[in-house]
């Protein structure tokens, strides 16, 4: 992964208090986000996990797992061409932020990924 992508992830974590990790396997990529639960004022360790899975492909097919412990519940989306994990991370971060904002507004436990 490029150094500027790692720096982007670190800045995202600092700006939005969302922990993000990225894993580059040989045939697929995973971006995992730990998003603070809304309404947990005074409690700093309540988070919900969300997993985004893709790989190099022209359509940008992405599986989104709102509950990483339940792989039977997922959403499939197309995010456009992605050739590297850096492309995937750059496309995942705005989605993670949108999911956090939606969940903070009370639009479901898993944000936009539930719709």
């Amino acid at each position: 992964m490029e150094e500027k992508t790692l720096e982007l992830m670190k800045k995202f974590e600092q700006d939005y208090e969302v922990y993000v990790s990225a894993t580059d396997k040989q045939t697929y990529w995973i971006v995992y986000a730990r998003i603070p639960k809304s309404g947990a004022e005074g409690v700093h360790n309540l988070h919900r996990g969300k997993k985004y899975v893709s790989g190099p492909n022209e359509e940008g097919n992405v599986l989104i797992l709102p509950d990483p412990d339940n792989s039977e519940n997922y959403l499939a989306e197309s995010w456009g061409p992605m050739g590297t994990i850096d492309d995937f991370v750059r496309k995942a971060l705005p989605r993670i932020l949108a999911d956090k904002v939606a969940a903070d507004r009370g639009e479901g436990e898993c944000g936009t990924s539930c719709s």
Side-chain angles (χ1 to χ4, degrees):
M1 192 175 323
E2 295 176 358
E3 185 65 33
K4 64 183 176 181
T5 302
L6 294 171
E7 291 172 15
L8 181 65
M9 288 171 52
K10 185 175 182 174
K11 181 168 177 20
F12 184 86
E13 289 177 348
Q14 292 170 344
D15 289 351
Y16 302 107
E17 299 179 4
V18 174
Y19 171 78
V20 179
S21 64
T23 304
D24 186 358
K25 300 289 185 181
Q26 285 187 321
T27 57
Y28 64 95
W29 308 313
I30 298 171
V31 172
Y32 179 77
R34 215 172 60 218
I35 302 169
K37 286 187 178 182
S38 61
E41 294 179 28
V43 180
H44 302 291
N45 60 353
L46 292 178
H47 291 81
R48 68 185 160 278
K50 186 171 288 190
K51 200 180 282 188
Y52 305 81
V53 182
S54 190
N57 65 88
E58 288 299 314
E59 295 81 27
N61 297 323
V62 179
L63 291 178
I64 302 169
L65 290 86
D67 177 1
D69 296 327
N70 179 4
S71 61
E72 293 179 13
N73 181 21
Y74 66 89
L75 177 69
E77 293 184 349
S78 179
W79 290 4
M82 294 183 283
T84 67
I85 189 165
D86 300 289
D87 296 338
F88 183 41
V89 169
R90 283 190 280 273
K91 289 184 178 197
L93 294 179
R95 177 55 189 257
I96 293 167
L97 181 57
D99 286 344
K100 178 186 184 306
V101 169
D104 287 348
R105 280 189 245 159
E107 297 174 8
E109 186 64 18
C110 55
T112 60
S113 292
C114 287
S115 46

